[in-house]
Amino acid sequence: MQRGNRRWAAGASRRPRQDPDRRRQVAAGQSPYAVVLSCIDSRVPPEVVFDAGLGDLLVVRTAAHTVDPLVTAAVQFGPQALQARLVVVLGHQRCGAVSAAAQALREQETLPGELPSIVAALEPVYTGSGGEVDVMVRAHIVRTVASLRADALLSGQAATVVGAYYSLDTGLVRRVA
Ligand SMILES: [Zn+2]
């Protein structure tokens, strides 16, 4: 995945395994090598930023990669049903969902519709961040990784959960400790 990301960042994407042969090959069954839980941001499609192909990644996307039981179930599906042993929690620079949540919390405004559920999910990392979006993003990655590592089903499947941060400026993904 790191090699694919370096290709993408360098403008040398190969778009591997995206041809009709691959489509036919995976039509009968899939075995993605990793689950990526990432943000819905239109600028961070995991298959593109990791230069991956059809059937390579099981991708779960929510605003600011917030997690609830349905999202956790989707992540669990990779290791449980498809033997994917790597789970990557991918946050990113200038996350709009985190920015909106920070603003709502700072100004104590109530967002419309179901958006307050995103704000509530990010409130724990707002506290102590000084409202800095990048600090919140990184803290939220760490927190999400910790919650998935504590998941009994994922640890029972020996899934490795890692955090990563995508730079919109450089296109590079870096591990988050
Ligand atoms: Zn985002």
Side-chain angles (χ1 to χ4, degrees), residues 10 14 17 19 28-29 39-40 56 58 63-64 70 72-73 79-80 83 85 91 100 111 121 124 128 133 163-164 168:
R14 290 186 199 146
R17 297 173 297 283
D19 52 10
C39 183
I40 56 174
D56 286 348
L58 190 152
L70 276 172
T72 302
Q80 172 68 23
Q83 286 78 50
R85 288 288 171 261
L111 299 179
V133 170
L168 294 178

Side-chain angles (χ1 to χ4, degrees), residues 140-163:
H140 184 52
I141 294 167
V142 170
R143 193 178 151 82
T144 307
V145 167
S147 77
L148 292 177
R149 281 182 183 163
D151 181 83
L153 191 150
L154 290 175
S155 53
Q157 292 292 329
T160 300
V161 184
V162 300

Side-chain angles (χ1 to χ4, degrees), residues 8 38-39 41-50 59 61 90:
W8 156 252
S38 70
C39 183
D41 194 294
S42 63
R43 301 164 295 180
V44 195
E47 293 89 343
V48 173
V49 306
F50 288 112
V59 176
R61 301 181 70 175
L90 182 65

